[in-house]
């Protein structure tokens, strides 16, 4: 895959997270110049960018729930590179709440989950639309979840937000074509600390009930994200499931 994305610029929101770091590495290996976007720690984002293979990578900060910072990020990318070809929305947030415990899923938590897992992704696409359109071969890849179709996830609001993200891909895949493609990659359980409180015991049980016999690794998701740019070039408005068959149970 080396050189497949030469001269392309890939912006990765959530670039300091478990999936984001591996995705950044895979894009860099394919020849892209990568903007690693973190939320709080500039030094961490710089460290990750500096460790990527190849040249031309950079680090930045933005808050996905603050549209002004996303617009500023797009302006910075335009000033530095003059282009953006790929936008990866790998940011997310959740908190475990039993689905039957309606009182524990407060209005405040619902609003936060929707802001971080749906509104923020839309706002990022909105901020980068002009750059992606100017590319003529723009691509958005959102990290969704099988919770959006199974209704079985960390909480009811998270499932709803991911279902909304899947529908967004359909809507924007239609609306932004032909110059921008929009795809979702939808994992099942992934071996990262994304969901608070889930440890080895949960992962072992999840692996035992997954048809392919293991939970996902960050690289499984990253490989699918990069494939959207390098292989699945005639696809848009679709959600690609990468879950080892877990949704089949």
């Amino acid at each position: 895959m080396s050189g497949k994305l030469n001269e392309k610029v890939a912006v990765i929101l959530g670039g300091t997270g478990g999936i984001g770091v591996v995705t950044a590495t895979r894009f860099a290996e394919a020849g892209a110049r990568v903007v690693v976007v973190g939320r709080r720690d500039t030094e961490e984002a710089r460290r990750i960018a500096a460790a990527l293979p190849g040249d031309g990578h950079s680090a930045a900060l933005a808050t996905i729930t603050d549209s002004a910072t996303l617009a500023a990020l797009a302006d910075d990318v335009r000033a530095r590179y003059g282009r953006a070809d790929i936008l990866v929305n790998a940011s997310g947030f959740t908190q475990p709440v039993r689905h039957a415990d309606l009182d524990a899923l407060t209005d405040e938590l619902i609003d936060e989950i929707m802001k971080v897992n749906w509104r923020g992704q839309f706002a990022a696409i909105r901020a980068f639309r002009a750059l992606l359109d100017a590319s003529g071969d723009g691509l958005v890849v959102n990290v969704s979840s099988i919770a959006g179709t199974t209704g079985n996830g960390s909480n009811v609001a998270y499932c709803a937000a991911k279902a909304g993200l899947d529908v967004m891909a359909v809507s924007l895949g239609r609306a932004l074509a032909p110059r921008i493609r929009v795809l979702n990659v939808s994992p099942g359980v992934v071996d990262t600390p994304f969901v608070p409180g889930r440890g080895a015991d949960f992962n072992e049980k999840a692996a035992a009930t997954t048809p392919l016999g293991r939970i996902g690794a960050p690289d499984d998701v990253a490989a699918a994200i990069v494939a959207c740019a390098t292989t699945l070039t005639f696809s848009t408005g679709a959600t690609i499931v990468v879950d080892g068959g877990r949704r089949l149970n």
Side-chain angles (χ1 to χ4, degrees):
M1 203 62 70
S2 178
K4 185 81 172 181
L5 298 177
N6 282 353
E7 303 305 318
K8 299 280 189 180
V9 174
V11 179
I12 304 178
L13 287 157
T16 60
I19 291 172
V21 172
V22 183
T23 300
T25 301
R26 276 189 166 262
F27 270 119
E29 289 172 345
R33 292 171 289 172
V34 179
V35 183
V36 177
V37 184
R39 185 163 68 95
R40 291 195 187 96
D41 191 339
T42 305
E43 287 307 312
E44 181 183 20
R46 286 175 179 165
R47 177 182 57 78
I48 293 166
L52 296 176
D55 301 314
H57 312 304
S58 63
L61 294 183
T63 302
I64 199 165
T65 56
D66 184 343
S67 294
T69 70
L70 295 171
L73 173 65
D75 288 342
D76 289 345
V77 171
R78 182 184 289 106
R80 182 181 180 92
Y81 297 99
R83 64 188 297 166
D85 306 279
I86 301 162
L87 174 67
V88 177
N89 279 313
S91 294
F93 159 76
T94 195
Q95 180 176 311
V97 178
R98 289 189 306 110
H99 285 214
D101 192 351
L102 305 190
D103 292 331
L105 192 58
T106 64
D107 291 348
E108 292 77 16
L109 180 55
I110 292 169
D111 289 347
E112 187 66 16
I113 286 170
M114 291 298 179
K115 283 195 301 183
V116 176
N117 296 290
W118 193 91
R119 195 192 80 185
Q121 283 72 17
F122 178 84
I125 297 167
R126 183 175 59 199
F128 276 88
R129 178 185 182 174
L131 279 169
L132 294 170
D133 190 80
S135 165
D137 187 27
L139 171 66
V140 175
V141 184
N142 304 307
V143 178
S144 184
S145 168
I146 62 169
T149 53
T150 65
N152 185 19
S154 51
N155 62 63
V156 174
Y158 182 77
C159 295
K162 292 301 186 178
L165 200 61
D166 290 348
V167 171
M168 186 204 296
V170 176
S171 296
L172 294 185
R174 180 186 301 116
L176 302 183
R179 298 177 68 83
I180 303 173
R181 295 184 299 117
V182 183
L183 291 166
N184 285 359
V185 169
S186 182
V189 178
V190 181
D191 190 11
T192 70
F194 174 68
V195 181
R198 288 185 179 176
D201 289 347
F202 177 89
N203 289 346
E204 288 172 8
K205 290 177 182 177
T209 57
T210 298
L212 294 190
R214 66 176 177 87
I215 63 171
D219 191 59
D220 294 317
V221 185
I225 293 170
V226 175
C228 293
T230 58
T231 306
L232 303 176
T233 55
F234 196 55
S235 296
T236 193
T239 294
I240 300 155
V241 177
V242 186
D243 71 341
R246 183 167 177 78
R247 75 203 178 285
L248 303 176
N249 291 333

